[in-house]
Amino acid sequence: MNAEEKSALLAPFAALKGRSFLTLRDYSAAEILALLDLAACLKGLKKKGLPHRLHEGKNVALIFEKTSTRTRCSFEVAAADLGAHPVYLDPKSSQIGKKESIADTARVLGRMFDGIEYRGFGQEIVEELSRYAGVPVWNGLTNEYHPTQILADFLTIREHFGRLKGVTLCYMGDARYNMGNSLMIGCAKMGMHFAAVAPKAYWPDAALRAECAAEAEKSGGSLTFTEDPLYPAKAGAQVVYTDVWVSMGEPEEVWAERIRDLSPYRVTLPLLEGAGEGCVFMHCLPAFHDLKTETGLAIYRKFGIDCMEVTDEAFESGRSIVFDEAENRMHTIKAVMAATL
Ligand code: CP
Ligand code: NVA
């Protein structure tokens, strides 16, 4: 790719250059669509083996205060493909938080790097990093939001159904955490029909629901909150989505209450088959669908269940598009870096 081709590819993103990507709340539907188009284009180049080193010589810092497979690998591979050099800071061996404040860390890293990814706890941390860094900061997951995941989910839905607008997505399980919140925000912006299918105590926060309801009204989408586990069939859901019942950073003790409260909302093959025609299953992963993990086995020994949020049968079925979704993490994260660096 020569200099002219690079600048032609990035020209539509002039307004995003230098901008952080902290939550989808900060991005318009048009900007989200443009990022998806860029991701699709970069995916095409990658599949054809065509180099796209759009940010040759730049450096990016990847801060992970929680563990990761997909997000870390996506940022590292995407940075390398763009010609940028990634530096990984693990949860234990930097000074962050223990000996150095977030504001100081941001000002130090901002002098050395062209962009910073942060995965960790409260959203206020990534917001503070962004305020002080002077370079774009990308949210690689906080307790409240997981915006890069939603871009991957939307690229996958668009590849599968050819569109986002009008698609009905039912989110089953703990809808008040990062995935439920972010899917609700994204669906509301893109004119999709979002349903949180969960006990009332697990619905997203009322203020965020109201903000998203206003967005959905503008976009032609809709939001539904229901405790009825059969809702995906009633709504003719095209996408049934779930996530782990206990998220990173939550205490072990909550497993018992989550298993009690959320078991009726487990995704099963009959549920998928009874939903909309061609209904697909999505999950941000990692998923507890069998006994091949330490946690899965420990839960089995303690509670006698051989899967949690999704049965192995549903996870392994032809309706499951979770690995397409996982691959798209890399292409969409690359688009975010390409557009904002
Ligand atoms: N979906 C996701 O964020 O996966 P990782 O925790 O492996 O990064
Ligand atoms: N809700 C999950 C998402 C993992 C990608 C967590 O925060 O652990």
Side-chain angles (χ1 to χ4, degrees):
M1 198 175 249
N2 62 33
E4 235 166 67
E5 288 166 332
K6 286 182 193 171
S7 55
L9 189 60
L10 293 181
F13 297 95
L16 296 193
K17 195 173 160 69
R19 238 169 98 182
S20 285
F21 188 76
L22 305 178
T23 156
L24 288 181
R25 291 166 79 187
D26 304 335
Y27 278 70
S28 68
E31 288 168 339
I32 293 168
L33 277 179
L35 286 171
L36 296 180
D37 290 343
L38 179 59
C41 169
L42 295 170
K43 183 172 179 176
L45 293 174
K46 173 104 176 164
K47 297 280 175 197
K48 288 192 198 117
L50 295 170
H52 39 281
R53 298 172 69 84
L54 295 163
H55 290 294
E56 194 102 50
K58 292 194 178 165
N59 294 285
V60 297
L62 311 179
I63 305 172
F64 281 82
E65 299 210 86
K66 290 177 178 170
T67 51
S68 169
T69 297
R70 276 145 292 272
T71 310
R72 175 185 174 180
C73 294
S74 295
F75 271 100
E76 293 215 22
V77 172
D81 285 353
L82 292 173
H85 175 68
V87 172
Y88 172 70
L89 290 106
D90 72 34
K92 293 214 172 72
S93 54
S94 78
Q95 316 285 24
I96 300 169
K98 294 157 288 263
K99 286 170 69 182
E100 194 157 33
S101 69
I102 293 298
D104 292 357
T105 303
R107 285 175 289 182
V108 171
L109 297 182
R111 298 288 183 105
M112 300 181 192
F113 292 95
D114 301 286
I116 302 169
E117 179 275 355
Y118 173 83
R119 163 172 288 200
F121 297 90
Q123 179 70 10
E124 69 284 355
I125 302 173
V126 79
E127 305 271 352
E128 190 175 1
L129 258 180
S130 173
R131 247 192 335 275
Y132 286 94
V135 296
V137 171
W138 310 298
N139 180 354
L141 177 146
T142 57
N143 296 344
E144 292 84 354
Y145 305 116
H146 197 4
T148 63
Q149 177 71 49
I150 308 310
L151 290 185
D153 298 342
F154 284 2
L155 181 63
T156 313
I157 293 170
R158 204 175 68 168
E159 285 171 348
H160 198 85
F161 292 102
R163 68 199 161 94
L164 290 175
K165 210 172 168 61
V167 169
T168 298
L169 182 149
C170 290
Y171 180 89
M172 316 274 297
D174 186 356
R176 65 198 162 159
Y177 217 70
N178 42 29
M179 284 310 306
N181 288 343
S182 296
L183 281 166
M184 177 174 69
I185 297 165
C187 289
K189 285 193 183 250
M190 307 317 288
M192 297 168 68
H193 304 295
F194 171 86
V197 184
K200 201 167 189 165
Y202 293 84
W203 294 354
D205 158 79
L208 187 61
R209 291 200 320 252
E211 182 185 315
C212 291
E215 286 280 354
E217 174 120 16
K218 281 190 274 170
S219 70
S222 67
L223 303 183
T224 301
F225 303 94
T226 174
E227 295 193 301
D228 178 3
L230 301 176
Y231 184 77
K234 293 177 183 156
Q238 286 148 305
V239 181
V240 170
Y241 200 117
T242 191
D243 180 20
V244 290
W245 290 343
V246 177
S247 287
M248 289 182 277
E250 293 198 280
E252 292 276 308
E253 300 77 71
V254 299
W255 273 115
E257 75 184 35
R258 298 293 162 78
I259 290 169
R260 184 195 63 216
D261 296 345
L262 299 176
S263 287
Y265 301 88
R266 172 178 296 126
V267 177
T268 63
L269 191 56
L271 177 103
L272 297 175
E273 284 171 345
E277 207 184 319
C279 174
V280 295
F281 170 67
M282 296 182 74
H283 191 309
C284 54
L285 304 182
F288 292 120
H289 59 95
D290 59 19
L291 301 180
K292 294 177 189 157
T293 62
E294 256 174 49
T295 308
L297 205 53
I299 295 294
Y300 173 71
R301 289 192 180 123
K302 196 158 174 197
F303 299 97
I305 52 171
D306 64 4
C307 64
M308 286 180 259
E309 70 275 9
V310 56
T311 61
D312 196 47
E313 188 185 38
F315 185 90
E316 296 293 355
S317 74
R319 291 179 181 269
S320 174
I321 56 170
V322 296
F323 297 110
D324 293 336
E325 185 184 0
E327 176 190 335
N328 283 338
R329 295 299 310 285
M330 201 279 288
H331 305 299
T332 43
I333 279 173
K334 189 187 288 176
V336 171
M337 284 200 285
T340 58
L341 269 173

